[in-house]
Amino acid sequence: MSIISPSMQRTRARRVREMLFRSAAMASLVFVVGPAMWLVIEVVVRAVPHWHWNVLTTVSQGTSGGLENAILGTLVIMFGVLIIAGTIGILAGIHFAELARPRRSGKASGAVLRTATEVLSGFPSIVLGYVGYIALCVGLHWGFSLLPALLILSLMVVPYIAKATESAIRQVPTNYREGAEALGMSPGYMLRRIVLKSALPGIVTGVLIALSIAGGETAPLLYTAGITNNLPSASLIHQPIGYLTYYVWTDYNQPTNEAHYVSYDAALILLVMVLVLLVTSRIIVARTQRHAEGNR
Amino acid sequence: MDEITSSEAAARLIDNELSRLDPDANRPTNVISTEGLNLSFGGKSILTGVNMEFTRGTITALIGPTGSGKSTFLRTINRMNDKVPSFKHEGDVKLDGESIWGSNQDLLTLRRRVGMLFQRPNPFPMSIRDNVVAGVRAHRIAKGKQLDVVAETRLREVGLWDAVKDRLGDSPFRLSGGQQQLLCLARALAVGPEVLLLDEPTSALDPLSTESVELLMRAMTPALTIIVVTHNLGQARRVSDKTMFFYEGRLVEHGDTAQIFERPREASTDRYVNGLMG
């Protein structure tokens, strides 16, 4: 004889559903975290046993030697992208969020601009690289050099920064704005002192993604930056520049063990760079958000 | 008898002397007045035909059911509605005899002179001290060390100083709701407003915090003119000098608070203040 009442049956069904959801969530987590861990472990395991510190202090000799030229080159490229794409992307995001609101201007220039940036972010990077090669390196006679590389990479990552900035600004609570307006703060002052400060974590995340992409891209750089074993020079054009991803890719395709070690080293250094970026950005966010509403 | 006469004479003398010192003495008695004010959003009328004067240094309570237009009226006075695209107004609101929409009226200065406190405490995401002086900084009223003085003065004024003096650098969100609202009040007072608009300032607070806000309201007048929207009829009765009753987009009745509550002229006022209509 059954003693399970209808209400108990419902409870059991709910439990089963809940368990299914939990396992699905766990599976997704493993699906995301697993490959990332695998990647990190493989790189570390392959690079560390053959690690020599002079990789950091000597330049490359093609399939052997160090990576100093590539490390400095990647740092220069990331810094350049931070300046160019960071400025343009954040300003564009502020524009989308504050000035181009559809409800304010009716038709909104914002819609066109926003669509344009979304199209831009969907472009294959190698196509952008080729455009940069034809238009800048050949068309403007800049040759393989830093400036076309920076412009093309910035073009690629501006949408990420703009989007992140826009959504971060939109999430700033209305009551902060109302409070600021009621005190007679000007819109610009409110934006600088209240809105941007509160939106900073989101903006930093966008910039972080942009910099990681800039550091990790290969295809557009092959077309624009060229490659060189020399250290980066002060010239923006006419001088090719080295970068880590080139060595990760090229030396892995070489037959010698020595070349493979260079490839693993380059990958490890890139990983460490991204890690340092992550930690730095978390520190910046923690320092500036210590008075935020969530941090009681 | 003589004694009373002489003390009355002395009181008159003191009054005269005080009014001579009073910076407001030569200003219009009515700090704010509205003339034939009609308010609407997107063609939908919210409030029609409001003619009202707010005497300097008094507390006026705005009461009425939800949707009666009292909050819209309040937010019109410091032009918070102006940014709503579909908002339209006819008639005029005057501050010290000058239209708040006049061409020589600077919006930021207007909002410095007419402060506002909201229903939910809304401290900024910055330290407690920086919150108090946020407006002072924006208007460049004081700087550097003076800001510390401003912060202390205003925090003392709202009775928060002892509770926060050792943690001025802390996040304001660690304070209780009532303390946060007092902090917002200190922030509003710091820019030296002449009028303070309170939009249900205690509806999110516990009874003790409510009491301290009400005591402060009494203490701030007559230096300040206060207009307060409240759903708490007891509060309107306790703190206000005048009461305005809004119903269905009209100012039905206004007058001395005692009269509105004890001898209302209109039937709807009577029903509302006696709890027969919510």
Side-chain angles (χ1 to χ4, degrees):
Chain A
M1 205 173 115
S2 169
I3 52 159
I4 297 175
S5 68
S7 77
M8 282 173 87
Q9 264 171 357
R10 273 204 298 279
T11 313
R12 177 181 286 176
R14 198 160 58 228
R15 284 218 185 101
V16 170
R17 266 207 309 280
E18 193 186 338
M19 214 186 65
L20 281 175
F21 266 112
R22 270 169 190 267
S23 359
M26 286 301 281
S28 321
L29 189 69
V30 170
F31 195 75
V32 174
V33 175
M37 291 307 293
W38 186 21
L39 208 137
V40 170
I41 290 166
E42 285 294 307
V43 168
V44 170
V45 163
R46 287 169 192 227
V48 168
H50 310 283
W51 178 260
H52 290 293
W53 286 101
N54 61 13
V55 166
L56 303 179
T57 52
T58 53
V59 298
S60 170
Q61 285 139 26
T63 56
S64 62
L67 288 164
E68 191 190 4
N69 59 316
I71 295 167
L72 291 178
T74 293
L75 287 178
V76 167
I77 288 169
M78 282 164 97
F79 182 72
V81 168
L82 174 68
I83 301 295
I84 297 176
T87 311
I88 297 173
I90 291 173
L91 288 178
I94 292 172
H95 179 85
F96 291 152
E98 295 285 311
L99 311 169
R101 287 187 174 170
R103 65 183 175 86
R104 192 167 295 179
S105 54
K107 277 275 271 291
S109 59
V112 177
L113 268 171
R114 204 171 284 125
T115 316
T117 51
E118 270 154 24
V119 168
L120 197 59
S121 66
F123 246 76
S125 63
I126 195 159
V127 176
L128 279 177
Y130 191 64
V131 169
Y133 172 70
I134 298 293
L136 305 174
C137 302
V138 177
L140 293 176
H141 306 291
W142 285 355
F144 288 131
S145 51
L146 179 61
L147 190 59
L150 290 185
L151 292 180
I152 291 303
L153 281 181
S154 296
L155 203 59
M156 273 180 56
V157 300
V158 154
Y160 293 95
I161 303 180
K163 193 78 207 161
T165 305
E166 182 192 355
S167 56
I169 289 178
R170 282 184 192 281
Q171 278 164 25
V172 173
T174 325
N175 59 13
Y176 291 176
R177 292 174 188 274
E178 284 201 323
E181 278 168 12
L183 275 177
M185 287 187 189
S186 69
Y189 188 91
M190 172 169 79
L191 183 73
R192 289 196 308 275
R193 292 304 188 89
I194 314 264
V195 174
L196 282 184
K197 194 180 168 196
S198 164
L200 192 81
I203 298 174
V204 167
T205 306
V207 172
L208 189 73
I209 292 172
L211 287 183
S212 307
I213 292 174
E217 269 298 341
T218 324
L221 288 177
L222 288 173
Y223 271 124
T224 51
I227 186 66
T228 176
N229 292 339
N230 299 327
L231 292 177
S233 66
S235 57
L236 283 173
I237 51 176
H238 300 312
Q239 291 288 337
I241 187 165
Y243 42 91
L244 286 166
T245 47
Y246 174 86
Y247 295 98
V248 175
W249 175 66
T250 323
D251 286 345
Y252 191 73
N253 292 329
Q254 300 299 320
T256 62
N257 277 341
E258 214 181 357
H260 287 177
Y261 298 155
V262 175
S263 170
Y264 302 147
D265 287 351
L268 181 68
I269 293 167
L270 264 177
L271 269 179
V272 171
M273 279 185 179
V274 172
L275 193 72
V276 169
L277 261 181
L278 257 171
V279 172
T280 319
S281 69
R282 287 304 105 188
I283 291 172
I284 293 173
V285 168
R287 279 198 60 81
T288 54
Q289 300 305 117
R290 64 190 185 283
H291 296 128
E293 205 155 348
N295 296 341
R296 277 163 202 265
Chain B
M1 262 330 234
D2 269 345
E3 233 178 275
I4 293 169
T5 336
S6 69
S7 71
E8 267 177 2
R12 241 194 324 275
L13 199 72
I14 292 168
D15 275 356
N16 286 340
E17 202 57 25
L18 279 178
S19 70
R20 206 170 57 77
L21 291 171
D22 184 3
D24 292 337
N26 295 323
R27 298 209 203 168
T29 339
N30 298 323
V31 58
I32 285 175
S33 56
T34 71
E35 294 166 7
L37 191 64
N38 298 333
L39 307 174
S40 64
F41 286 119
K44 187 175 174 291
S45 174
I46 301 293
L47 198 58
T48 48
V50 180
N51 293 296
M52 180 70 194
E53 272 115 33
F54 295 89
T55 313
R56 195 179 299 280
T58 59
I59 300 179
T60 307
L62 274 50
I63 60 170
T66 305
S68 57
K70 55 194 191 310
S71 272
T72 307
F73 176 76
L74 191 79
R75 294 167 68 93
T76 301
I77 299 174
N78 67 344
R79 292 179 53 186
M80 289 293 277
N81 286 331
D82 284 17
K83 63 168 180 173
V84 182
S86 61
F87 174 71
K88 290 252 170 13
H89 67 89
E90 289 160 21
D92 208 351
V93 177
K94 287 185 171 167
L95 174 66
D96 274 348
E98 283 185 45
S99 168
I100 60 167
W101 289 289
S103 55
N104 57 348
Q105 191 75 259
D106 174 47
L107 177 62
L108 305 184
T109 311
L110 171 79
R111 286 181 177 160
R112 190 185 63 68
R113 295 174 65 192
V114 183
M116 190 168 212
L117 193 63
F118 297 85
Q119 182 172 5
R120 300 209 140 265
N122 58 349
F124 298 135
M126 48 179 79
S127 72
I128 292 173
R129 169 195 177 270
D130 288 349
N131 258 285
V132 182
V133 299
V136 175
R137 269 199 176 129
H139 290 282
R140 305 201 178 143
I141 298 168
K143 58 181 180 181
K145 283 261 188 318
Q146 296 169 323
L147 292 174
D148 292 327
V149 180
V150 172
E152 178 172 350
T153 314
R154 297 306 177 178
L155 285 169
R156 278 191 192 284
E157 209 170 324
V158 300
L160 210 53
W161 175 252
D162 289 328
V164 303
K165 66 181 174 201
D166 296 325
R167 44 180 180 146
L168 292 173
D170 267 16
S171 166
F173 300 103
R174 293 208 184 101
L175 301 175
S176 73
Q179 289 176 322
Q180 288 184 30
Q181 190 66 306
L182 290 176
L183 179 65
C184 294
L185 184 59
R187 180 177 75 187
L189 290 174
V191 294
E194 297 156 47
V195 179
L196 206 53
L197 310 174
L198 311 180
D199 191 359
E200 297 183 48
T202 60
S203 64
L205 305 187
D206 63 279
L208 278 178
S209 305
T210 301
E211 193 187 354
S212 51
V213 170
E214 286 180 7
L215 287 173
L216 276 168
M217 286 165 68
R218 293 258 48 135
M220 288 184 299
T221 48
L224 224 63
T225 310
I226 294 176
I227 306 175
V228 52
V229 166
T230 182
H231 278 124
N232 181 338
L233 294 175
Q235 178 170 70
R237 218 168 165 167
R238 282 190 298 271
V239 301
S240 69
D241 305 300
K242 307 263 182 186
T243 296
M244 299 166 76
F245 173 63
F246 290 84
Y247 184 53
E248 292 182 337
R250 270 184 333 112
L251 171 59
V252 173
E253 185 170 354
H254 65 91
D256 290 344
T257 297
Q259 178 253 310
I260 295 289
F261 280 92
E262 282 151 28
R263 298 179 306 281
R265 278 186 287 268
E266 303 289 330
S268 56
T269 315
D270 192 27
R271 292 216 312 279
Y272 185 73
V273 300
N274 287 310
L276 301 176
M277 168 174 83

